[in-house]
């Protein structure tokens, strides 16, 4: 790689905790979430081009590189804001399951901020990147920051937390796509019977206590997605029976992740899920 070409990893996230406080007048939901990056990533390669404009190429037929792609939209926003004259080509190698609740699109957009900032020496600080990034999506500022964080507001008000205690993570994406919009629209935000203990989880993370952290994992969006798709319950039960400290749906789903304290138990359930063929996408991962 030379100064005309750089590469960046765009990490997926899981929600260790996801609570919805209320539906706002404008239709958005006020949330409290504990976000965590996991070692599962897309790869973006940025190259300066002689020809003007933005060219986005992806390795997935189902995901065009046109204006609908968050990578393109982030590149356009940066180009327009900073008056970037030179052309750019971005190659996206996708690994993060799509429409999965893992912020795949948002993390790609976040990588574009870091990548173009470096490639064109734009001098954007993290705050400036987040300020622009939220225009692409509410999860983009978190993805720009990464690590363990409390996200409030519509997800854009961020408080960095101490890194969550290290553990092994098994991720299974059922073979179905779930639209985030559908899930929020069908959430009975004002009559939720259960709210996860986000403050308690934050305290457990602060103390580096993996067991107490895992005990408090909870996601109110399961009331919509898990109810509709029993495979989510099936995956959670299999992971718990296989020794997971806890298992949960991430974001609006349908991805399920389990937290394990040993590599052996995580590895065993990873193999079991792959053999059972309940879903074609299973990953053995860790927190990053
Ligand atoms: P979140 O957890 O933020 O709700 P998600 O994992 O549910 O995200 P994404 O994979 O981010 O969902 O994307 C949902 C839709 O956005 C896709 O079906 C696709 O049409 C569109 N999209 C646009 N750009 C991208 C991208 N770079 N990667 C993935 N999806 C993208």
């Amino acid at each position: 790689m030379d100064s005309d070409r750089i590469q960046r990893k765009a990490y997926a996230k899981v929600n260790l905790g996801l609570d919805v406080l209320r539906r706002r007048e404008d239709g958005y939901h006020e949330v409290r979430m504990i976000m965590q990056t996991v070692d599962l990533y897309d790869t973006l390669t940025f190259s300066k081009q002689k020809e003007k404009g933005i060219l986005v190429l992806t390795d997935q037929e189902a995901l065009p590189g046109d204006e609908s792609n968050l990578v393109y939209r982030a590149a356009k926003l940066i180009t327009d804001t900073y008056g970037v004259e030179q052309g750019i080509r971005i190659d996206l190698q996708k690994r993060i399951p799509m429409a999965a609740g893992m912020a795949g699109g948002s993390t790609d957009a976040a990588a574009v901020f870091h990548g173009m900032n470096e490639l064109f020496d734009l001098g954007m600080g993290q705050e400036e990147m987040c300020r622009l990034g939220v225009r692409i999506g509410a999860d983009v500022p978190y993805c720009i920051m990464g690590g363990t964080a409390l996200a409030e507001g519509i997800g854009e008000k961020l408080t960095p937390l101490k890194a969550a205690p290290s553990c092994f993570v098994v991720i299974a994406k059922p073979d179905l796509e779930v639209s985030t919009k559908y899930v929020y629209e069908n959430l009975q935000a004002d009559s939720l019977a259960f709210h996860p203990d986000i403050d308690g989880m934050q305290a457990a993370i602060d103390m580096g206590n993996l067991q107490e952290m895992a005990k408090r994992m909870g996601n109110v969006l399961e009331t919509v997605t898990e109810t509709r798709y029993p495979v989510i319950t099936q995956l959670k039960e299999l992971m718990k029976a296989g020794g997971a400290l806890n298992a949960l749906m991430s974001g609006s789903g349908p991805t399920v992740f389990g937290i394990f304290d040993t590599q052996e138990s995580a590895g065993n359930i990873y193999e079991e899920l792959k053999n059972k063929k309940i879903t074609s996408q299973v990953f053995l991962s860790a927190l990053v």
Side-chain angles (χ1 to χ4, degrees):
M1 294 273 157
D2 50 40
S3 61
D4 286 344
R5 191 159 172 265
I6 58 166
Q7 211 165 56
R8 273 204 84 103
K9 289 176 179 171
Y11 288 97
K13 62 86 179 155
V14 292
N15 300 89
L16 294 171
L18 194 163
D19 195 12
V20 175
L21 306 184
R22 67 184 182 99
R23 192 186 155 91
R24 306 193 318 192
E25 307 280 288
D26 60 8
Y28 279 100
H29 288 79
E30 204 174 307
V31 295
R32 285 193 89 213
M33 313 188 282
I34 306 266
M35 320 285 283
Q36 173 64 54
T37 36
V38 289
D39 192 11
L40 169 61
Y41 54 83
D42 294 341
T43 305
L44 290 89
T45 308
F46 303 86
S47 324
K48 287 183 183 169
Q49 298 287 287
K50 289 217 170 63
E51 314 78 57
K52 283 196 169 197
I54 300 160
L55 176 63
V56 177
L57 299 172
T58 87
D59 63 354
Q60 304 286 316
E61 233 170 89
L63 183 68
D66 61 14
E67 296 79 12
S68 69
N69 198 305
L70 297 189
V71 168
Y72 184 93
R73 283 167 47 195
K76 177 90 173 78
L77 179 60
I78 297 164
T79 301
D80 291 349
T81 308
Y82 284 87
V84 177
E85 294 279 338
Q86 186 157 17
I88 183 167
R89 167 179 165 158
I90 307 172
D91 288 276
L92 171 62
Q93 192 188 342
K94 204 75 203 157
R95 266 189 89 219
I96 303 171
M98 292 196 271
M102 304 200 76
S106 304
T107 196
D108 291 345
V112 173
F113 279 89
H114 286 295
M116 286 185 68
N117 196 30
E118 197 179 322
L119 190 68
F120 294 119
D121 209 5
L122 301 176
M124 276 188 278
Q126 184 165 290
E127 218 170 283
E128 170 65 1
M129 288 197 258
C130 290
R131 196 184 62 76
L132 279 178
V134 74
R135 286 163 58 181
I136 307 287
D139 280 349
V140 174
Y142 162 70
C143 293
I144 287 170
M145 193 170 98
T148 312
L150 171 70
E152 296 172 291
I154 60 164
E156 88 297 5
K157 284 190 198 141
L158 298 170
T159 311
L161 303 180
K162 217 167 120 178
S166 67
C167 55
F168 301 92
V169 185
V170 175
I171 296 165
K173 152 78 173 38
D175 297 330
L176 49 101
E177 297 208 337
V178 171
S179 122
T180 305
K181 191 163 171 274
Y182 168 86
V183 175
Y184 274 102
E185 276 174 4
N186 285 277
L187 179 74
Q188 305 294 318
D190 300 321
S191 53
L192 290 166
F194 161 80
H195 288 277
D197 178 10
I198 300 289
D199 291 333
M201 175 175 281
Q202 195 179 328
I205 290 172
D206 230 33
M207 289 183 303
N209 190 327
L210 182 63
Q211 315 278 337
E212 292 297 319
M213 179 193 93
K215 234 192 255 175
R216 290 173 175 79
M217 281 162 52
N219 177 356
V220 298
L221 301 183
E222 286 182 338
T223 58
V224 182
T225 323
E226 189 178 357
T227 312
R228 192 159 182 224
Y229 301 110
V231 64
I232 294 172
T233 314
Q234 189 189 3
L235 287 167
K236 283 166 64 177
E237 293 308 323
L238 277 169
M239 287 193 194
K240 286 189 219 171
L245 299 178
N246 210 343
L248 192 72
M249 185 182 86
S250 182
S252 50
T255 301
V256 172
F257 68 98
I259 295 283
F260 296 79
D261 55 359
T262 71
Q263 188 162 21
E264 196 190 355
S265 54
N268 288 342
I269 195 73
Y270 168 74
E271 292 299 336
E272 185 185 333
L273 290 178
K274 278 196 12 181
N275 293 336
K276 282 206 160 97
K277 295 193 169 48
I278 301 169
T279 135
S280 50
Q281 287 174 291
V282 188
F283 304 90
L284 182 54
S285 184
L287 309 187
V288 279

